[in-house]
Amino acid sequence: MNTYRKIDLATWPRREHYKYYTERLKVEYSITTSIDITKLLDFCHANGYRFYPSMIYFVTKVVNEIENLRMFLDGDGSLCVWDGVIPSYTIFHEDDKTFSDCWSDYCEDFDTFYRTITEDMEKYKDVKGIKARKNQPPNFYCISCAPWTAFTSYTSRVPNGEPSYFPIITIGKYETDAGKTTAPVNLTIAHAVCDGYHSGLFFEKLQKSVNDIGKAVASGRK
């Protein structure tokens, strides 16, 4: 899955935008949207699935469907796009209130991925420090969950650093009102590779995917 191809900037429709946002205005942007997770939670509760790994599956599925969310620079500084990416996610340690990063291989089949990621979470749950699992592949994106706060906006920046080409996605505390449960989902990414259209497409696809949880599981069991 960690294969990739170079972007042909001579023919790429966003070549002028890429040039502008890499040479004149090196900016990243952050968008937070409320996602209706009612059907996903109902399914998880009825079938014994955990919300966080289930949500990681759908986010990873959508990220892999959008080319602009899989871009990176190779060793020569050329703009490239991964054929597929995997999630690098956080594991929270209740005993000392710290967290560690972990990663898991992605599979389009929901049950296979769910089994893989929950087994990895169990295996590395007591490994402390920033990196719980070593040898993380280069084709990753970042996802975390902050279930303590139902935020309406979220920004993560590195002072004097370069904008991140890979998506940084944060899920907040979900809340229920009048029978509808929603969770804030934040996307932060470099404007050089991603515009408002691509962000909107991400949230649109994510909402549709979590609504179709039943279909996603059923298709893998045929």
Side-chain angles (χ1 to χ4, degrees):
M1 181 178 281
N2 59 350
T3 56
Y4 62 90
R5 61 178 174 81
K6 290 186 178 182
I7 297 294
D8 184 358
L9 293 179
T11 60
W12 193 36
R14 289 193 71 259
R15 58 188 178 278
E16 291 188 16
H17 300 75
Y18 177 73
K19 183 179 178 64
Y20 182 82
Y21 287 115
T22 55
E23 297 180 2
R24 298 191 60 184
L25 188 62
K26 297 182 179 181
V27 64
E28 66 182 11
Y29 66 89
S30 178
I31 295 180
T32 300
T33 295
S34 181
I35 297 295
D36 184 346
I37 58 170
T38 308
K39 292 182 179 179
L40 174 58
L41 273 183
D42 288 346
F43 180 89
C44 289
H45 292 159
N47 296 277
Y49 289 97
R50 291 159 55 189
F51 170 73
Y52 186 35
S54 299
M55 194 66 172
I56 292 175
Y57 166 81
F58 286 109
V59 171
T60 308
K61 175 179 179 292
V62 172
V63 169
N64 275 298
E65 291 175 355
I66 303 174
E67 184 176 275
N68 296 71
L69 300 183
R70 293 183 277 113
M71 292 185 174
F72 73 103
L73 297 178
D74 68 6
D76 297 325
S78 298
L79 183 64
C80 304
V81 56
W82 292 113
D83 292 336
V85 296
I86 64 169
S88 173
Y89 52 91
T90 54
I91 297 176
F92 184 68
H93 306 296
E94 279 289 351
D95 56 350
D96 60 7
K97 312 305 179 189
T98 63
F99 73 91
S100 300
D101 289 338
C102 190
W103 60 270
S104 293
D105 289 321
Y106 172 67
C107 176
E108 292 183 3
D109 178 70
F110 176 83
D111 278 330
T112 300
F113 176 79
Y114 184 87
R115 183 169 56 253
T116 297
I117 194 171
T118 52
E119 288 177 354
D120 286 341
M121 286 179 168
E122 178 66 22
K123 180 177 181 180
Y124 296 100
K125 67 178 182 179
D126 296 322
V127 181
K128 302 297 180 66
I130 292 296
K131 300 297 180 181
R133 185 178 184 183
K134 298 179 180 179
N135 302 317
Q136 178 176 283
N139 57 319
F140 70 90
Y141 80 95
C142 292
I143 182 169
S144 62
C145 187
W148 311 277
T149 306
F151 55 78
T152 56
S153 181
Y154 178 91
T155 300
S156 177
R157 296 190 59 84
V158 179
N160 302 316
E162 293 290 328
S164 297
Y165 282 17
F166 58 84
I168 302 172
I169 296 167
T170 307
I171 305 165
K173 179 182 179 180
Y174 58 74
E175 297 182 310
T176 301
D177 182 34
K180 178 181 179 181
T181 304
T182 60
V185 177
N186 173 269
L187 167 68
T188 299
I189 196 167
H191 210 338
V193 297
C194 191
D195 300 323
Y197 166 78
H198 308 101
S199 299
L201 185 62
F202 166 76
F203 289 115
E204 178 184 346
K205 284 179 170 287
L206 181 59
Q207 183 64 77
K208 184 178 187 305
S209 292
V210 297
N211 284 345
D212 292 341
I213 171 64
K215 293 181 182 179
V217 175
S219 64
R221 295 177 179 175
K222 290 181 179 180

